[in-house]
Amino acid sequence: MNGSVVFGDSAAAVTVRNLRVGFGSAEPVVRGVSFAVAPGECLAIVGESGSGKSVTARSLLGLAGTNARVSADRLELGGQSVLGLAGRAWQARRGKDVGLVLQDALVSLDPLRPIGREIADSLRLHTTLGAAGRARRVLELLDAVGLPEPELQVRKLSGQLSGGERQRALIAAAIALNPPLLIADEPTTALDVTVQAQILALLEQITGAGTAVLLISHDLAVVSRVAHRVAVMYDGQLVETGRTPEVLGSPQQEQTRRMVAAIPGDKPRGTRLSPSDGPDTPSGLTATGDSRAEVSPESTVVLEAIGLSKSFRRQDGTRQLAVDDVSFALHRGSTLGIVGESGSGKTTTARLLLALLAPDHGEVRVFGEPWSTTSEKTRRGLRASVGAIYQDALGSFDPRWSVAEILTDALHLRHERGAPHTTARLTSLLDEVGLAPTVLPRRPLELSGGQRQRVGIARALAGRPEILICDEPVSSLDVTVQAQVLDLLDDVQRERGLSLIFISHDLGVVQHVSDHIAIMRDGRIVEMGPAERVFAAPQHPYSAQLLAAVPRLRA
Amino acid sequence: MSDLEVQAGLAAQSRQSGPSRRLGVAETAAGVLALFLLVSAVVPQLLAPGDPLAIDPLSAFQPPNLAHGFGTDESGRDIYSRVVHGTQYSLVIGAVATAIGLGLGILLGTLAGMLGRVVDFTVNRFLEVLFAFPGLLLALLFIVIFGPGVVTATIAVGLSTAPGYARIIRAQLITVRSQAFVEAATVLGRTRWQILLRHILPNTLAPLFVLATLGVGQAIVWAATLSYLGLGAEPPTSEWGAMLSAGRTYITSAWWMSFFPGLFIVLTAVTATVLGRSIDRRMRHA
């Protein structure tokens, strides 16, 4: 590799040729990646966790890690090679030549320093501006990223800002020196959809102003909104690169096709999202909605919430209504989707339905019998018929237990090693959720995210429940794994005639799985009705706003 | 030999057997020392065939030499024999005292953590009162009431360590209690007691055994302190603290009389600490 400065396409803000990154003596995690981003262009690198997209982005900042081996034929920022730069030389470039926006703004900002000082830092290090000049520039920046009343905001600590405001502050810090290239690594992943839409608009505006933006994301829908070009990364390589509409509209590669197909969005209810993996699963892409019990007003109500309210004491002593007069009915064999942004009270609702919390007012009835108003002792007899699936599958398992112990416990059996009836039941349970018996001796910590959630579903099914309450069951999964888990839930629902409460912040997922849908905001249900009707013609202004904010594939 | 040490030892052995787990210098040294101390406690005759109580006035106050490696005391007793034979007192006192402290701590901590606000408040205030006294003062108080001796000293040390354990167990219990898997067990229809016994206690206590290993060293030092003050083992007994106390009178002329018992107190405490930390580290990475 020659170390001399190579002048390439002077037009490109960043040029990467044959980038390889490895750690220690292990196989490289980035294997020969090439791309270029022109000023005013947004390139998105999309891939699932472990595909190497973040490592690629970090290599452009010299932040791949101390034990990383980075090599490339060309690695240029603004036409100048940055290959082999050492610590101090990198410091001079970061911020000035390339800015970075990270996923979690809460941990990216110092909690004890006002955001104004945080933003002014890079100005102090890289410019000759005086204190007054810096202060003026910080206000300009905050204004540019759309933070209202910048004079008040500069003195706030990161903890006093909302998620969206923090992300804006972080973007302000990243663009403070007008770097020709901005790298945004999952910039909207932790945000609610309406806030996400605002941040995406801001990124679009920055691109429009002539900055090159490299967007790293796992979410194809987010990308389709802002990126001019998309590069799909898989196993350390770019498998497909092209203009966004073409890549998403007619994907050429298997991996891209799978990712596009896995997006639930407005695909009809019952459509399979993942390629079928065995002879015993129904063949892919056939609508099977007809086999589902038609929900008519006369059909049996299995779970009912009547005027539920729950408030919590705030730190200052006042009470906050987390759930406010929520009523709904779940019919046998159907799915009720509950959607809302963070703080809308959906998780509190789930906990009330599971009788982990007692409501202040109102009650929950299961099969028409009192549920929330009786004692835990009487409830315990019915517990088996109400199963739960959690967002954090790993946290919901006792860390000392193996999969076999978890499932045996759920089957109400004593742990007898090798007893045939137990093993047979465990195996059939695992088979139902698509896991091989080889996972039995392993602990959940050793399993992948998708496998963990499958074990979680197996545990919920072990007690032969009739109702499943799923609280964000797929939010922490990659999109193709999410597709498999959604398909699995669909299968078990059809086979066992289950009734589901499906809670999620992801409207696309909820739209795909739900017969009925309830939209929550500030603890209230603002709109409820058949899923198709609500998505086609939302009545409440908030529903309409929420639906409009959902990123859709723009192919 | 207490169960506690056996467990700690077994845990250390089984963890060390893994291929990727290398032992540090400190850990190896601590392991060798622990072995030496265990043999001294179980079969002292093997390492020191002589009688620790045999008096030989003619060879009193001999500095360390070939016949008496650690020298002799004012009555001509071999200090090496006495130190080796004294190991059992220290280890048993340390282990039993820790077991008492841990047992009481588990009881109090579980009560506070599980039985609701009123019990929690009461237990906490009680613990705070105990915390107001330095541990040793608490032990002294107990001995003043029940009279000196090895048994009372052991109980006294155990009692004075209990509040610390109780606090840690309560905090750990509250953390574990609010974790998702406990909630999941409730949803599956488990009773409070089943959840306490099957999920909460095992997850609370596992990290505590590491702490207990560290506690044994502390308890040994405290027990020796009590003996040094003349409130534990009585003088002819070859207990380390009592030997220190006896040597104090002659510290300017016969340094070895207090040096070697003191050295062993320090070595034992350090060994327990190093082993405890090592087990802790390995459990965290496991």
Side-chain angles (χ1 to χ4, degrees):
Chain A
M1 199 123 320
N2 76 58
S4 66
V5 179
V6 183
F7 293 96
D9 326 290
S10 54
V14 58
T15 311
V16 177
R17 284 275 173 281
N18 198 20
L19 174 72
R20 303 173 71 84
V21 186
F23 293 93
S25 53
E27 278 285 292
V29 290
V30 177
R31 305 180 293 143
V33 164
S34 305
F35 60 86
V37 191
E41 185 192 35
C42 176
L43 171 71
I45 298 184
V46 190
E48 308 208 322
S49 41
S51 61
K53 54 190 196 302
S54 280
V55 176
T56 304
R58 263 143 229 266
S59 305
L60 298 181
L61 291 151
L63 292 175
T66 44
N67 60 341
R69 292 174 287 111
V70 181
S71 69
D73 295 346
R74 277 168 74 182
L75 189 61
E76 294 165 17
L77 290 177
Q80 284 186 302
S81 177
V82 292
L83 258 183
L85 281 190
R88 204 158 275 268
W90 262 122
Q91 274 176 24
R93 302 218 165 225
R94 273 180 228 135
K96 193 161 71 71
D97 291 348
V98 52
L100 176 68
V101 180
L102 284 167
Q103 173 178 348
D104 195 342
L106 187 57
V107 295
S108 307
L109 291 166
D110 188 332
L112 296 176
R113 301 182 69 207
I115 57 160
R117 303 241 321 258
E118 204 69 356
I119 297 167
D121 266 354
S122 57
L123 296 172
R124 198 164 46 78
L125 289 170
H126 290 284
T127 67
T128 53
L129 283 178
R134 287 202 298 268
R136 215 175 317 115
R137 178 79 180 123
V138 167
L139 291 182
E140 279 170 28
L141 284 165
L142 288 179
D143 192 47
V145 296
L147 268 181
E149 301 180 86
E151 295 82 2
L152 294 177
Q153 308 283 1
V154 286
R155 278 190 285 278
K156 285 193 180 167
L157 303 178
S158 69
Q160 296 167 311
L161 300 173
S162 71
E165 287 169 340
R166 275 200 295 271
Q167 203 65 6
R168 283 173 196 274
L170 207 62
I171 292 175
I175 62 171
L177 296 165
N178 271 326
L181 173 67
L182 182 67
I183 297 176
D185 190 354
E186 302 273 7
T188 62
T189 303
L191 303 176
D192 283 328
V193 275
T194 48
V195 183
Q196 167 174 291
Q198 295 160 12
I199 296 293
L200 290 177
L202 175 60
L203 282 178
E204 228 167 353
Q205 185 193 324
I206 291 170
T207 317
T211 308
V213 174
L214 182 64
L215 183 64
I216 310 287
S217 179
H218 69 284
D219 193 332
L220 276 172
V222 163
V223 157
S224 71
R225 188 175 189 120
V226 289
H228 300 110
R229 287 192 303 134
V230 177
V232 178
M233 193 151 186
Y234 181 81
D235 196 18
Q237 289 176 313
L238 296 184
V239 291
E240 187 164 1
T241 312
R243 288 172 32 76
T244 309
E246 281 143 31
V247 172
L248 299 184
S250 51
Q252 301 299 309
Q253 295 298 317
E254 176 61 27
Q255 286 86 10
T256 320
R257 266 204 292 275
R258 201 180 304 158
M259 282 181 80
V260 172
I263 299 171
D266 35 20
K267 298 199 180 67
R269 180 93 168 81
T271 311
R272 297 194 67 81
L273 301 170
S274 58
S276 57
D277 44 355
D280 49 355
T281 47
S283 59
L285 293 171
T286 46
T288 44
D290 43 90
S291 67
R292 199 174 305 279
E294 278 300 308
V295 182
S296 57
E298 308 89 61
S299 71
T300 339
V301 171
V302 287
L303 176 76
E304 197 176 5
I306 307 155
L308 286 184
S309 294
K310 180 74 189 174
S311 64
F312 294 106
R313 199 190 301 274
R314 280 209 205 96
Q315 274 182 337
D316 57 11
T318 59
R319 297 191 79 83
Q320 181 183 13
L321 260 181
V323 170
D324 184 6
D325 194 21
V326 162
S327 304
F328 54 78
L330 176 67
H331 295 264
R332 188 180 296 284
S334 75
T335 302
L336 172 67
I338 300 180
V339 220
E341 299 190 287
S342 47
S344 60
K346 46 190 203 305
T347 292
T348 307
T349 307
R351 292 170 56 82
L352 288 170
L353 294 179
L354 287 168
L356 291 167
L357 282 177
D360 297 339
H361 302 287
E363 68 164 318
V364 180
R365 299 178 82 86
V366 169
F367 308 125
E369 290 179 45
W371 172 258
S372 62
T373 44
T374 61
S375 68
E376 181 64 33
K377 210 169 180 176
T378 36
R379 203 152 44 215
R380 208 165 285 136
L382 270 174
R383 279 273 186 208
S385 19
V386 184
I389 298 171
Y390 311 87
Q391 170 172 13
D392 176 17
L394 183 61
S396 74
F397 303 128
D398 191 317
R400 297 172 308 117
W401 283 9
S402 67
V403 172
E405 284 168 310
I406 291 164
L407 296 182
T408 318
D409 174 65
L411 283 166
H412 292 264
L413 292 170
R414 280 189 302 119
H415 185 50
E416 296 161 275
R417 208 174 286 268
H421 60 285
T422 314
T423 319
R425 287 178 70 182
L426 286 180
T427 315
S428 78
L429 199 55
L430 284 178
D431 187 50
E432 195 173 354
V433 298
L435 285 174
T438 48
V439 299
L440 280 175
R442 296 166 74 182
R443 284 199 285 173
L445 197 65
E446 303 159 31
L447 302 177
S448 72
Q451 285 175 320
R452 286 174 192 159
Q453 200 50 285
R454 283 172 195 266
V455 174
I457 294 172
R459 174 177 64 182
L461 295 178
R464 308 216 147 269
E466 296 182 47
I467 303 165
L468 268 189
I469 296 177
C470 316
D471 187 4
E472 301 269 11
V474 294
S475 335
S476 54
L477 303 176
D478 275 332
V479 64
T480 53
V481 180
Q482 164 179 304
Q484 292 162 8
V485 171
L486 289 178
D487 284 348
L488 170 63
L489 278 174
D490 201 47
D491 289 343
V492 295
Q493 175 173 35
R494 214 171 324 110
E495 278 156 28
R496 297 196 172 207
L498 295 175
S499 320
L500 257 64
I501 297 275
F502 195 102
I503 293 171
S504 179
H505 71 285
D506 189 329
L507 280 153
V509 169
V510 168
Q511 180 179 15
H512 179 73
V513 299
S514 306
D515 300 300
H516 279 70
I517 180 171
I519 295 179
M520 284 190 79
R521 183 194 200 182
D522 298 337
R524 294 179 149 270
I525 292 182
V526 296
E527 181 161 4
M528 182 158 58
E532 281 159 39
R533 204 273 296 147
V534 173
F535 277 94
Q539 305 293 307
H540 192 278
Y542 177 70
S543 315
Q545 187 193 338
L546 201 61
L547 285 172
V550 178
R552 301 265 174 212
L553 273 189
R554 292 183 181 173
Chain B
M1 250 331 280
S2 74
D3 282 355
L4 213 82
E5 279 166 287
V6 175
Q7 278 181 10
L10 286 181
Q13 275 169 21
S14 66
R15 305 247 169 218
Q16 282 158 13
S17 62
S20 63
R21 300 174 186 280
R22 289 242 185 86
L23 283 175
V25 178
E27 284 165 335
T28 318
V32 171
L33 256 172
L35 197 69
F36 177 82
L37 290 171
L38 282 185
V39 174
S40 311
V42 182
V43 273
Q45 299 82 1
L46 207 66
L47 297 166
D51 183 352
L53 296 178
I55 297 174
D56 180 9
L58 287 179
S59 50
F61 295 122
Q62 282 189 13
N65 56 41
L66 282 179
H68 303 283
F70 290 0
T72 58
D73 67 4
E74 79 276 17
S75 311
R77 290 177 293 219
D78 180 40
I79 293 194
Y80 172 72
S81 302
R82 289 176 63 73
V83 165
V84 168
H85 284 261
T87 312
Q88 52 187 312
Y89 294 104
S90 290
L91 286 195
V92 168
I93 293 175
V96 172
T98 308
I100 292 174
L102 208 56
L104 264 174
I106 291 174
L107 188 70
L108 285 174
T110 310
L111 285 178
M114 291 304 292
L115 289 186
R117 271 191 206 158
V118 179
V119 180
D120 189 26
F121 182 85
T122 318
V123 172
N124 260 323
R125 295 301 87 79
F126 175 63
L127 289 179
E128 271 157 23
V129 170
L130 293 186
F131 268 123
F133 300 96
L136 207 57
L137 201 65
L138 213 63
L140 285 177
L141 189 72
F142 183 81
I143 290 172
V144 165
I145 297 170
F146 292 95
V150 178
V151 177
T152 34
T154 309
I155 299 176
V157 171
L159 281 182
S160 54
T161 52
Y165 289 125
R167 264 293 167 84
I168 295 165
I169 289 165
R170 174 181 169 272
Q172 180 79 13
L173 206 76
I174 288 171
T175 316
V176 173
R177 196 182 57 186
S178 61
Q179 276 176 10
F181 64 85
V182 171
E183 210 159 78
T186 312
V187 170
L188 285 177
R190 296 273 175 265
T191 65
R192 270 165 71 95
W193 282 107
Q194 281 174 328
I195 293 174
L196 177 69
L197 293 177
R198 293 162 63 89
H199 296 289
I200 300 183
L201 279 184
N203 278 294
T204 306
L205 299 185
L208 212 72
F209 280 109
V210 175
L211 209 67
T213 321
L214 296 171
V216 170
Q218 165 86 9
I220 287 174
V221 173
W222 282 18
T225 311
L226 288 176
S227 295
Y228 177 80
L229 294 173
L231 300 170
E234 302 288 332
T237 320
S238 53
E239 203 272 339
W240 295 341
M243 289 172 70
L244 257 187
S245 175
R248 184 193 45 177
T249 326
Y250 311 103
I251 194 149
T252 45
S253 52
W255 56 268
W256 55 91
M257 279 182 68
S258 27
F259 175 77
F260 288 105
L263 180 70
F264 269 72
I265 293 171
V266 172
L267 282 181
T268 313
V270 170
T271 300
T273 309
V274 169
L275 286 183
R277 296 208 169 201
S278 152
I279 296 170
D280 180 36
R281 236 190 341 265
R282 277 151 208 280
M283 281 179 63
R284 268 170 222 266
H285 287 294

